[in-house]
Coordinates of all heavy atoms in Angstrom, one line a residue:
S232 N 22.6 20.5 -92.1 CA 23.2 20.9 -93.5 C 23.9 22.3 -93.3 O 23.3 23.3 -93.2 CB 22.2 21.0 -94.6 OG 22.8 21.5 -95.8
P233 N 25.3 22.4 -93.5 CA 25.9 23.6 -93.5 C 25.7 24.5 -94.8 O 25.9 25.6 -94.8 CB 27.4 23.2 -93.3 CG 27.5 21.9 -93.8 CD 26.2 21.3 -93.6
R234 N 25.1 23.8 -95.8 CA 24.9 24.5 -97.1 C 23.6 25.3 -97.1 O 23.5 26.2 -98.0 CB 24.9 23.4 -98.2 CG 26.1 22.8 -98.4 CD 26.0 21.7 -99.6 NE 25.5 22.3 -100.7 CZ 24.8 21.6 -101.6 NH1 24.7 20.3 -101.5 NH2 24.3 22.2 -102.7
H235 N 22.7 25.1 -96.2 CA 21.4 25.7 -96.2 C 21.4 26.7 -95.0 O 21.9 26.5 -93.9 CB 20.2 24.7 -96.0 CG 20.2 23.8 -97.2 ND1 21.0 22.6 -97.2 CD2 19.4 23.8 -98.2 CE1 20.6 22.0 -98.3 NE2 19.7 22.7 -98.9
K236 N 20.8 27.9 -95.3 CA 20.7 29.0 -94.3 C 20.0 28.5 -93.0 O 20.3 28.9 -92.0 CB 19.9 30.1 -94.9 CG 20.7 31.0 -95.8 CD 19.8 32.2 -96.2 CE 20.5 33.1 -97.2 NZ 19.7 34.3 -97.6
S237 N 19.1 27.6 -93.2 CA 18.3 27.1 -92.0 C 19.2 26.1 -91.2 O 18.8 25.9 -90.0 CB 17.0 26.3 -92.4 OG 17.4 25.2 -93.2
G238 N 20.3 25.5 -91.8 CA 21.0 24.6 -91.1 C 20.5 23.2 -91.2 O 20.9 22.3 -90.6
I239 N 19.3 23.1 -92.0 CA 18.7 21.8 -92.1 C 18.4 21.5 -93.5 O 18.1 22.3 -94.3 CB 17.3 21.9 -91.3 CG1 17.5 22.1 -89.9 CG2 16.5 20.6 -91.5 CD1 16.3 22.5 -89.1
A240 N 18.6 20.2 -93.8 CA 18.2 19.7 -95.2 C 17.2 18.6 -95.1 O 17.2 17.7 -94.2 CB 19.4 19.2 -96.0
L241 N 16.2 18.6 -96.0 CA 15.1 17.5 -96.0 C 15.4 16.6 -97.1 O 15.8 17.1 -98.3 CB 13.7 18.2 -96.2 CG 13.3 19.2 -95.1 CD1 11.9 19.7 -95.4 CD2 13.3 18.5 -93.7
R242 N 15.3 15.3 -97.0 CA 15.5 14.4 -98.0 C 14.2 14.1 -98.7 O 13.2 13.8 -98.2 CB 16.1 13.1 -97.4 CG 16.4 12.1 -98.4 CD 17.0 10.9 -97.7 NE 17.1 9.8 -98.5 CZ 18.1 9.3 -99.3 NH1 19.2 10.1 -99.2 NH2 18.0 8.3 -100.0
F243 N 14.2 14.4 -100.1 CA 13.0 14.1 -100.9 C 11.8 14.9 -100.4 O 10.8 14.3 -100.3 CB 12.7 12.7 -101.1 CG 13.9 11.9 -101.6 CD1 14.5 10.8 -100.9 CD2 14.3 12.1 -102.9 CE1 15.5 10.1 -101.4 CE2 15.4 11.3 -103.5 CZ 16.0 10.3 -102.7
P244 N 12.0 16.3 -100.3 CA 10.8 17.0 -99.9 C 9.7 17.1 -101.0 O 10.1 17.1 -102.2 CB 11.4 18.4 -99.5 CG 12.6 18.5 -100.4 CD 13.1 17.1 -100.5
R245 N 8.5 17.2 -100.7 CA 7.5 17.4 -101.6 C 6.2 18.0 -101.0 O 6.0 17.9 -99.8 CB 7.1 16.1 -102.3 CG 6.6 15.0 -101.3 CD 6.8 13.6 -101.9 NE 6.5 12.6 -100.9 CZ 7.3 12.2 -100.0 NH1 8.5 12.7 -99.9 NH2 6.9 11.2 -99.1
I246 N 5.6 18.7 -101.8 CA 4.2 19.4 -101.4 C 3.2 18.4 -101.4 O 2.9 17.8 -102.5 CB 3.9 20.6 -102.2 CG1 5.0 21.7 -102.0 CG2 2.6 21.1 -101.8 CD1 4.8 22.9 -103.0
L247 N 2.5 18.1 -100.4 CA 1.4 17.2 -100.3 C 0.1 17.9 -100.7 O -0.7 17.4 -101.5 CB 1.2 16.5 -98.9 CG 2.2 15.5 -98.5 CD1 1.8 15.0 -97.1 CD2 2.3 14.4 -99.5
R248 N -0.1 19.1 -100.2 CA -1.3 19.8 -100.5 C -1.2 21.3 -100.1 O -0.4 21.6 -99.2 CB -2.6 19.3 -99.8 CG -2.7 19.5 -98.3 CD -3.8 18.7 -97.7 NE -3.2 17.7 -96.9 CZ -3.7 16.5 -96.6 NH1 -4.8 16.1 -97.2 NH2 -3.1 15.7 -95.8
W249 N -2.0 22.1 -100.7 CA -2.0 23.5 -100.4 C -3.1 23.6 -99.4 O -4.3 23.2 -99.6 CB -2.4 24.3 -101.7 CG -2.5 25.7 -101.6 CD1 -2.3 26.5 -100.5 CD2 -2.8 26.6 -102.6 NE1 -2.4 27.8 -100.8 CE2 -2.8 28.0 -102.1 CE3 -3.2 26.4 -104.0 CZ2 -3.1 29.1 -102.9 CZ3 -3.4 27.6 -104.7 CH2 -3.3 28.8 -104.2
R250 N -2.8 24.2 -98.2 CA -3.7 24.3 -97.1 C -4.4 25.7 -97.1 O -4.0 26.5 -96.3 CB -2.9 24.1 -95.8 CG -2.4 22.6 -95.6 CD -3.5 21.6 -95.6 NE -4.5 21.8 -94.7 CZ -4.5 21.2 -93.4 NH1 -3.6 20.4 -93.1 NH2 -5.5 21.5 -92.6
R251 N -5.4 25.8 -97.9 CA -6.1 27.0 -98.0 C -6.9 27.3 -96.7 O -7.3 28.4 -96.4 CB -7.0 27.1 -99.2 CG -6.3 27.0 -100.5 CD -7.4 26.8 -101.6 NE -6.7 26.4 -102.8 CZ -6.8 27.1 -103.9 NH1 -7.3 28.4 -103.9 NH2 -6.2 26.7 -105.0
D252 N -7.1 26.2 -95.9 CA -7.9 26.3 -94.7 C -7.0 26.9 -93.5 O -7.6 27.0 -92.4 CB -8.5 25.0 -94.4 CG -7.5 23.9 -94.1 OD1 -6.5 23.8 -94.9 OD2 -7.7 23.1 -93.3
K253 N -5.7 27.0 -93.7 CA -4.8 27.3 -92.5 C -4.2 28.7 -92.8 O -3.7 28.9 -93.8 CB -3.6 26.3 -92.5 CG -4.1 24.9 -92.1 CD -4.3 24.9 -90.6 CE -4.7 23.4 -90.2 NZ -5.1 23.3 -88.8
P254 N -4.3 29.5 -91.8 CA -3.6 30.8 -91.9 C -2.1 30.6 -91.6 O -1.7 29.7 -90.9 CB -4.2 31.7 -90.8 CG -4.7 30.7 -89.8 CD -5.1 29.5 -90.5
A255 N -1.3 31.5 -92.1 CA 0.2 31.4 -91.9 C 0.6 31.5 -90.4 O 1.6 31.0 -90.1 CB 0.9 32.5 -92.7
T256 N -0.3 32.0 -89.6 CA 0.0 32.1 -88.2 C 0.0 30.7 -87.5 O 0.4 30.6 -86.3 CB -1.0 33.0 -87.4 OG1 -2.4 32.5 -87.7 CG2 -0.9 34.4 -87.9
E257 N -0.5 29.7 -88.2 CA -0.6 28.3 -87.6 C 0.4 27.4 -88.1 O 0.3 26.2 -87.9 CB -2.0 27.7 -87.9 CG -3.1 28.5 -87.2 CD -4.4 27.8 -87.4 OE1 -4.5 26.6 -87.9 OE2 -5.5 28.4 -87.1
I258 N 1.4 27.9 -88.9 CA 2.4 27.0 -89.4 C 3.5 26.4 -88.4 O 3.6 27.1 -87.3 CB 3.2 27.7 -90.5 CG1 4.0 28.9 -90.0 CG2 2.3 28.2 -91.7 CD1 5.1 29.5 -90.9
D259 N 4.1 25.4 -88.7 CA 5.2 24.9 -87.9 C 6.4 25.8 -88.3 O 6.4 26.5 -89.3 CB 5.5 23.4 -88.2 CG 4.6 22.5 -87.4 OD1 4.2 22.9 -86.4 OD2 4.4 21.4 -87.9
T260 N 7.4 25.7 -87.4 CA 8.5 26.6 -87.6 C 9.8 25.8 -87.7 O 9.8 24.6 -87.5 CB 8.7 27.6 -86.4 OG1 8.9 26.8 -85.2 CG2 7.4 28.5 -86.3
L261 N 11.0 26.5 -87.9 CA 12.2 25.8 -87.9 C 12.5 25.1 -86.5 O 13.2 24.1 -86.5 CB 13.4 26.8 -88.2 CG 13.5 27.2 -89.6 CD1 14.5 28.3 -89.8 CD2 13.9 26.0 -90.5
E262 N 12.0 25.6 -85.5 CA 12.1 25.0 -84.2 C 11.5 23.6 -84.2 O 12.0 22.7 -83.6 CB 11.5 25.8 -83.1 CG 12.3 27.1 -82.7 CD 12.3 28.1 -83.8 OE1 11.3 28.3 -84.5 OE2 13.4 28.8 -83.9
T263 N 10.4 23.4 -84.9 CA 9.8 22.1 -85.0 C 10.7 21.1 -85.7 O 10.9 20.0 -85.3 CB 8.5 22.2 -85.8 OG1 7.6 23.0 -85.1 CG2 7.8 20.8 -85.8
L264 N 11.3 21.6 -86.8 CA 12.3 20.7 -87.6 C 13.5 20.5 -86.7 O 14.0 19.3 -86.7 CB 12.7 21.4 -88.9 CG 11.7 21.5 -90.0 CD1 12.2 22.2 -91.2 CD2 11.3 20.0 -90.4
R265 N 14.0 21.4 -86.0 CA 15.1 21.2 -85.1 C 14.8 20.2 -84.1 O 15.7 19.3 -83.7 CB 15.6 22.5 -84.5 CG 16.3 23.4 -85.5 CD 16.9 24.6 -84.9 NE 17.4 25.5 -85.9 CZ 16.8 26.7 -86.3 NH1 15.8 27.1 -85.7 NH2 17.5 27.3 -87.2
A266 N 13.6 20.2 -83.5 CA 13.2 19.1 -82.5 C 13.2 17.7 -83.2 O 13.6 16.7 -82.6 CB 11.8 19.5 -82.0
L267 N 12.7 17.7 -84.4 CA 12.7 16.4 -85.2 C 14.1 15.9 -85.4 O 14.4 14.7 -85.2 CB 12.0 16.5 -86.5 CG 10.5 16.6 -86.5 CD1 10.0 16.9 -88.0 CD2 9.9 15.3 -86.1
L268 N 15.0 16.9 -85.7 CA 16.4 16.5 -85.9 C 17.1 16.0 -84.6 O 17.8 15.1 -84.7 CB 17.1 17.7 -86.4 CG 18.5 17.6 -86.9 CD1 18.6 16.5 -88.1 CD2 19.0 18.9 -87.5
S269 N 16.7 16.6 -83.5 CA 17.3 16.2 -82.3 C 16.8 14.9 -81.8 O 17.5 14.1 -81.1 CB 17.1 17.3 -81.2 OG 15.8 17.3 -80.8
Q270 N 15.6 14.5 -82.2 CA 15.0 13.2 -81.9 C 15.6 12.0 -82.7 O 15.5 10.8 -82.2 CB 13.5 13.1 -82.2 CG 12.7 14.1 -81.2 CD 11.3 14.1 -81.6 OE1 10.8 13.5 -82.5 NE2 10.5 15.0 -81.0
R271 N 16.3 12.4 -83.7 CA 17.0 11.3 -84.6 C 18.0 10.6 -83.8 O 18.3 9.5 -84.1 CB 17.6 11.9 -85.8 CG 16.8 12.2 -86.9 CD 17.6 12.6 -88.1 NE 18.9 12.4 -87.9 CZ 19.9 12.5 -88.7 NH1 19.6 13.1 -89.9 NH2 21.2 12.3 -88.5

């Protein structure tokens, strides 16, 4: 998506749950999304 700063748009995004058990240091990154995008 050229409209988003990340260059990526998600179709019908939604929050499944708040992960209070996970620190922010363990999150996935834009690189993970770019890898998903390249697998398409």
Side-chain angles (χ1 to χ4, degrees):
S232 173
R234 293 180 51 202
H235 296 83
K236 285 184 181 181
S237 66
I239 298 170
L241 302 178
R242 182 176 166 94
F243 301 116
R245 59 205 173 274
I246 295 174
L247 290 182
R248 74 185 114 215
W249 184 359
R250 296 298 306 264
R251 296 175 193 244
D252 61 321
K253 294 282 184 182
T256 56
E257 292 183 14
I258 64 167
D259 277 333
T260 62
L261 283 172
E262 285 70 34
T263 303
L264 286 176
R265 288 186 184 107
L267 285 172
L268 191 56
S269 69
Q270 290 174 7
R271 279 186 15 176

